[in-house]
Amino acid sequence: MASSIDPIDWLVIAIYLIALLGFAYYLSRGQHNREDYYVGGRKIGSWPIAISILATQCSTNSILGAPAFVAFAAGGGLLWLQYELAVPLAMLVIILVLVPVFRALKLVSVYGFLEQRFDLRTRLLLSGLFQFVRAFATAVTVYSIALVIELITGLSFFWSVVLLGLFTVVYDVMGGIKGVIYSDVAQMIILVAMLLIVFVSLVADAGGLSAMLQTVPSERLQTLRFDKHGFGDGHTFAFWPMLFGGLFLYVSYYGCDQSQAQRVLSSDSQQGSVKALFYNGLLRFPLVALYCFVGVGIAAYAINNSEFVGSLPANGEQANYNLAVPVYMIQQLPVGLVGMALVALFAAAMSSLDSVLNSLSATTMEDFVFRFRQKKWSLKRELWVSRLITATWGLITLTMAFFVGDIASTVLEAINKIGSLANGPVLAVFMLGVLTRIVSANAVITGMLAGFLFNAYCWIELPNLSWLWWNVTGFIVTVIVALLFTLAQRTTKQAAVSTLAQKVDLQNNDSYVWTISLTLLIWFALMFSALLYQST
């Protein structure tokens, strides 16, 4: 495939990367302290934040893996779209419950809330857990994406890591959260434009949209599946686990994970944070639908062109279906557009990595370094230490990428499972902190450990239980154990009552919040109706 990449396409890629660095340098001149670096001085508009969050979700793994799932995976197809039904519901919960607290406390790290509500141990425990899981997952992601770059461009694995990682780290170090957000906006525009171009090309190759849909087996066009439940039937991606498991997963990920919540904290107001989540709740489904329908087009193209699958690089004894989209782009798009297509793949990768590196830096700085400094620092020192920590995390994750090769093929799925092991318990800790006043730090830590161990038991002993349900079971077990622990404490002595609620108005009386909430519910109903219509 590398021989198919014209020098003009390489020039397009070079111009993009150089422009990205120049933009990051421009933004760096407006940074004066760590809040500028990590939350943009809390002056960023809701639209850029929403698009940035959207871009992070649209990773290279998504735009390559989802079309492959739709086109080639056994039992795959448009069933993936039912996962998206949980997104507007998750945005609704975060808007009503978490955003008022986080905004009132003016946090940089969301784990700072846990110290104010519980104690320092709880803050450090969850921040440390986030850093460990995210750093390891990022190293595996870099490894996987570098393999794709190596196969597509012909570069060695080393230079593929350097090309992807070095540019991402440099513009992340210079640009801070503004560099992350505004570069994500540009990257999203490029990515959506290229996905549309690829989809139009696939439709034309199939002889029209109707012909394309008729070519693909009808079972791959099914969007809802109610007959399976994921409780021991071996069907992970059935409707019920994807809806309820997805709801708990998304609330935890968007609301309690620093890599996502940090951008919500960067908005210019609480209303801006609400709007950013609202826009994301509306826009994510059309985006995912776009690259899923690219998968439908790839399936039709592979059926009509029998040699196509044979042209894919091998992954063991079978074709690497995850490379179907980039191979099609290189084979079918004209010179120049191939370069833009590769830029889109770089953009998808960078938009995932930049936010993680910045959030790793933010939690390290806020929860550990700045929290335990011995004396007051100047604003300039705050800024340079923040940049140094970002560069250090970049170096760590890029270095780790060279050592995860032997396990990456199995860990990619395991990472999603590990996330589901922890998502429910972590969400329960935050929810107990916001919605209760007498649950103690000891209670939530005990509950979180119990929830995690219960999910680990499910992983080992109940392999046919959909791992999406772990997001629910972990939450329920954590809440139950924490409440029982609290009741046991109160039988021996009166538990301390948290005073945090006195600092925060948890009620949303603003009409715009309820208007947005109603709109999200209507959007959920419309999405469900559209998928139901497609399935009938």
Side-chain angles (χ1 to χ4, degrees), residues 123-454:
R123 175 181 187 171
L124 298 183
L125 176 63
L126 268 75
S127 179
L129 177 64
F130 162 78
Q131 291 175 38
F132 174 77
V133 173
R134 279 283 167 257
F136 185 69
T138 301
V140 174
T141 301
V142 171
Y143 172 85
S144 304
I145 297 172
L147 282 182
V148 174
I149 295 173
E150 180 184 22
L151 288 169
I152 293 173
T153 64
L155 294 173
S156 68
F157 178 78
F158 174 83
W159 287 110
S160 297
V161 172
V162 170
L163 183 63
L164 169 67
L166 186 61
F167 278 93
T168 304
V169 171
V170 171
Y171 87 69
D172 211 344
V173 168
M174 290 194 297
I177 194 64
K178 281 189 175 180
V180 170
I181 291 174
Y182 289 120
S183 64
D184 283 353
V185 172
Q187 290 163 349
M188 178 54 69
I189 293 172
I190 294 170
L191 181 60
V192 171
M194 289 311 305
L195 286 173
L196 287 171
I197 289 172
V198 170
F199 180 68
V200 170
S201 176
L202 287 165
V203 170
D205 288 337
L209 181 60
S210 178
M212 184 178 79
L213 296 177
Q214 291 174 5
T215 302
V216 178
S218 59
E219 60 268 19
R220 292 199 174 273
L221 301 179
Q222 184 181 4
T223 53
L224 295 175
R225 186 169 189 175
F226 299 107
D227 59 329
K228 304 298 180 181
H229 47 69
F231 284 113
D233 59 8
H235 288 270
T236 297
F237 301 111
F239 174 79
W240 301 111
M242 293 185 88
L243 178 63
F244 291 104
L247 173 60
F248 282 76
L249 183 154
Y250 285 136
V251 174
S252 181
Y253 185 52
Y254 281 107
C256 308
D257 188 294
Q258 179 70 18
S259 65
Q260 304 303 307
Q262 185 175 336
R263 276 165 291 185
V264 176
L265 300 174
S266 303
S267 67
D268 51 9
S269 64
Q270 180 172 327
Q271 184 172 349
S273 297
V274 169
K275 287 182 177 179
L277 291 168
F278 170 67
Y279 297 147
N280 187 76
L282 295 183
L283 294 175
R284 179 167 158 138
F285 181 79
L287 175 62
V288 175
L290 174 58
Y291 57 71
C292 282
F293 272 93
V294 167
V296 173
I298 289 290
Y301 185 80
I303 292 171
N304 292 330
N305 299 271
S306 57
E307 74 283 357
F308 176 70
V309 172
S311 69
L312 300 179
N315 183 15
E317 296 183 355
Q318 69 175 19
N320 188 342
Y321 295 122
N322 286 327
L323 293 178
V325 172
V327 168
Y328 174 82
M329 292 189 298
I330 291 174
Q331 290 180 354
Q332 299 300 318
L333 296 182
V335 171
L337 276 183
V338 170
M340 288 302 298
L342 295 179
V343 164
L345 294 179
F346 281 120
M350 289 178 169
S351 62
S352 299
L353 297 179
D354 58 11
S355 59
V356 173
L357 292 179
N358 192 268
S359 61
L360 286 170
S361 176
T363 52
T364 303
M365 179 66 168
E366 294 299 313
D367 299 328
F368 293 91
V369 177
F370 194 75
R371 173 65 177 74
F372 293 104
R373 72 195 188 284
Q374 296 298 313
K375 59 182 179 179
K376 185 178 178 62
W377 288 356
S378 68
L379 298 181
K380 185 176 181 180
R381 184 177 184 182
E382 287 181 16
L383 178 60
W384 281 103
V385 171
S386 300
R387 288 174 173 166
L388 177 61
I389 294 173
T390 302
T392 301
W393 273 117
L395 181 62
I396 290 172
T397 53
L398 294 182
T399 301
M400 288 172 61
F402 291 97
F403 298 95
V404 298
D406 292 336
I407 57 175
S409 60
T410 57
V411 168
L412 274 175
E413 181 180 2
I415 284 175
N416 290 322
K417 291 185 175 181
I418 290 172
S420 292
L421 284 179
N423 284 332
V426 169
L427 175 61
V429 171
F430 276 87
M431 287 299 183
L432 287 168
V434 173
L435 300 177
T436 71
R437 299 183 63 190
I438 61 173
V439 175
S440 66
N442 288 335
V444 295
I445 291 175
T446 303
M448 185 175 72
L449 180 61
F452 186 87
L453 290 176
F454 181 83

